[in-house]
Amino acid sequence: MRLPSSIFVSVSLFTAETTAALYLSSTYRSAGDQIWQGLTLLFTLVPSVLVQLTLTFIHRDLGRDRPLVLLLHILQLGPIVRCLEAFCIYGSVGRVEEPYVSITRKKQIPRGGQSEEVERQVGQAEGKLFTHRAAFVRSSVIQAFLGSAPQLTLQLYICALQQGVSIGRGTLMVISLLSIVYGALRCNILAIKIKYDDYEVDVRPVAYMCIFLWRSFEIASRVVVLVLFSSVLQLWILPVVLLNFIVFFFYPWILFWLSHSPFPENIEKTLTRVGTTIVLCLLTFLYAGINMFCWSAVQVKLCDPDLINKSQNWYRMAVYYVLRFVENASLLLLWFMYKTEVYNFICAPLLVLLLLLAYGIAIFFMLVFYQFCHPCRRLFSSSMTQGLWTCSSLLCLSCNSASPQNRPTRKSPCPPTRKEPANDGAQDTSSDTTDDMPNETTYDMLNDTVCDSPNKVSNSICVGINGDINHSVSCNA
């Protein structure tokens, strides 16, 4: 049984960030900055309450007689108590014989074309540790993107306005960045384990390092871009943020509405329809918060029983990173045009170049992870390179079909000519008829490609883009 080190890291980041935020808010109060003090406390207490609710919901403490645990959650000490409980469970393993064990069956990642199924006994203690790990993974994601990400953006914005970094503010920013990167890393691992639940997934240290570098460059560059833009165009940052949130919040609901699926009722038996709707809204809100700063490895799919899209959609990922790169470049261009004398001490063109280069490095490490370090890359129906190549081919086909020279045009009538013999006239008529017909080859090929059924195992563009697989190593969607 593995040491619950991930639980210890989550609790350490949560405790350190909360302590640093409380200390910094006290310094703001001493300096008379009540607005900064209020916002710092807001981005600390709200995610802390959500973390307590998440741990209570996953462990189902409301239906159990544990008043002391509930009291500690109200006092915002729930993660510390859960961490101590997890280590106590880990320390008691092997001392007492398990009265009940369950058997789990997991497939091994195929290496020589075959996949063997392995049975393993799971005791009660290991099952409880699994519940603790699952609860802390979700709480880490909530803490990262609903607390640490806004906190880091706020403190960096204050540094830009005051042109200085204090020790307390710098410490809080470093801890917040580590918390965001760790939450994104846990989100990646959670997505892999959900998508390939039937397989025994072993994530190697090289994969962890690739994800860490990928998320670090992506999140850091994104936060700096937002802060630079908001420091010169304070009013325009609100439409940018609201547009991002609205798009990613309603995107899963639009897909759910188009699928005509029944309303999900299997989230929790004790929840009413109103309670289920609130939980789903919170889930999509978290999904929007993740996509505001980085690509969400867990794609929400409300019509799925697990509420997670288990297909590997290269096309959606490519579109996201292209649009996000264009958005970052546009925001940096506007900042460069409207920057004030506050930024005279830095080289603005060099800073723009470094930020775009950092985002490009993040994309590079993402490609390395999916191409070489992904633990389940042998189960992909298409590789990362093939998927991106197919996406670019589809975009080229779409651009070519939309270009003016490829659009069907009507030929102008030819002037009357001298009548030729019968045989030659028949050939000319056939030739003229063929020339006057619109060029429909491009449209037929594009329509056949797009409308091809994704359930067929073929070389069509849709199958290559979606890269859909299931747990039985099938190419069906």
Side-chain angles (χ1 to χ4, degrees), residues 18-73:
T18 304
T19 305
L22 293 177
Y23 169 76
L24 185 60
S25 65
S26 65
T27 60
Y28 286 144
R29 181 181 180 181
S30 301
D33 297 328
Q34 297 181 355
I35 297 178
W36 303 141
Q37 178 194 4
L39 291 175
T40 302
L41 290 177
L42 177 67
F43 295 142
T44 302
L45 297 179
V46 171
S48 178
V49 172
L50 293 177
V51 167
Q52 312 299 325
L53 293 176
T54 302
L55 295 176
T56 305
F57 178 78
I58 294 178
H59 287 280
R60 307 177 193 275
D61 288 328
L62 295 178
R64 302 162 62 184
D65 188 14
R66 304 186 68 182
L68 179 59
V69 174
L70 293 177
L71 176 62
L72 292 174
H73 274 291

Side-chain angles (χ1 to χ4, degrees), residues 26-164:
S26 65
T27 60
Y28 286 144
R29 181 181 180 181
S30 301
D33 297 328
Q34 297 181 355
I35 297 178
W36 303 141
Q37 178 194 4
L39 291 175
T40 302
L41 290 177
L42 177 67
F43 295 142
T44 302
L45 297 179
V46 171
S48 178
V49 172
L50 293 177
V51 167
Q52 312 299 325
L53 293 176
T54 302
L55 295 176
T56 305
F57 178 78
I58 294 178
H59 287 280
R60 307 177 193 275
D61 288 328
L62 295 178
R64 302 162 62 184
D65 188 14
R66 304 186 68 182
L68 179 59
V69 174
L70 293 177
L71 176 62
L72 292 174
H73 274 291
I74 294 174
L75 298 176
Q76 308 301 306
L77 299 176
I80 300 176
V81 177
R82 299 293 184 184
C83 180
L84 295 176
E85 185 179 356
F87 274 91
C88 290
I89 294 173
Y90 178 80
S92 63
V93 172
R95 297 181 181 180
V96 182
E97 184 178 357
E98 296 280 357
Y100 172 78
V101 294
S102 59
I103 298 177
T104 60
R105 293 180 176 87
K106 293 283 186 180
K107 298 178 183 178
Q108 292 183 341
I109 303 297
R111 298 183 180 274
Q114 296 180 353
S115 178
E116 298 181 357
E117 193 173 50
V118 179
E119 292 185 355
R120 192 168 65 91
Q121 293 183 352
V122 178
Q124 289 183 345
E126 189 172 356
K128 292 179 180 179
L129 275 181
F130 177 80
T131 304
H132 278 285
R133 286 193 180 97
F136 274 100
V137 165
R138 287 152 179 82
S139 63
S140 297
V141 175
I142 293 174
Q143 173 68 24
F145 293 100
L146 298 185
S148 302
Q151 188 74 267
L152 175 62
T153 307
L154 171 66
Q155 302 306 326
L156 190 59
Y157 177 77
I158 298 173
C159 292
L161 293 183
Q162 298 182 357
Q163 301 183 25

Side-chain angles (χ1 to χ4, degrees), residues 310-356:
K310 298 180 181 179
S311 64
Q312 190 65 50
N313 197 320
W314 305 120
Y315 177 73
R316 186 182 300 176
M317 180 183 294
V319 170
Y320 174 87
Y321 276 100
V322 169
L323 293 180
R324 186 64 77 198
F325 185 84
V326 171
E327 182 192 6
N328 287 344
S330 302
L331 296 180
L332 286 174
L333 179 62
L334 291 173
W335 168 78
F336 184 79
M337 294 172 57
Y338 294 99
K339 63 184 178 66
T340 58
E341 64 277 1
V342 175
Y343 297 100
N344 290 336
F345 65 96
I346 61 175
C347 182
L350 180 60
L351 180 59
V352 172
L353 181 61
L354 289 177
L355 289 174
L356 295 179

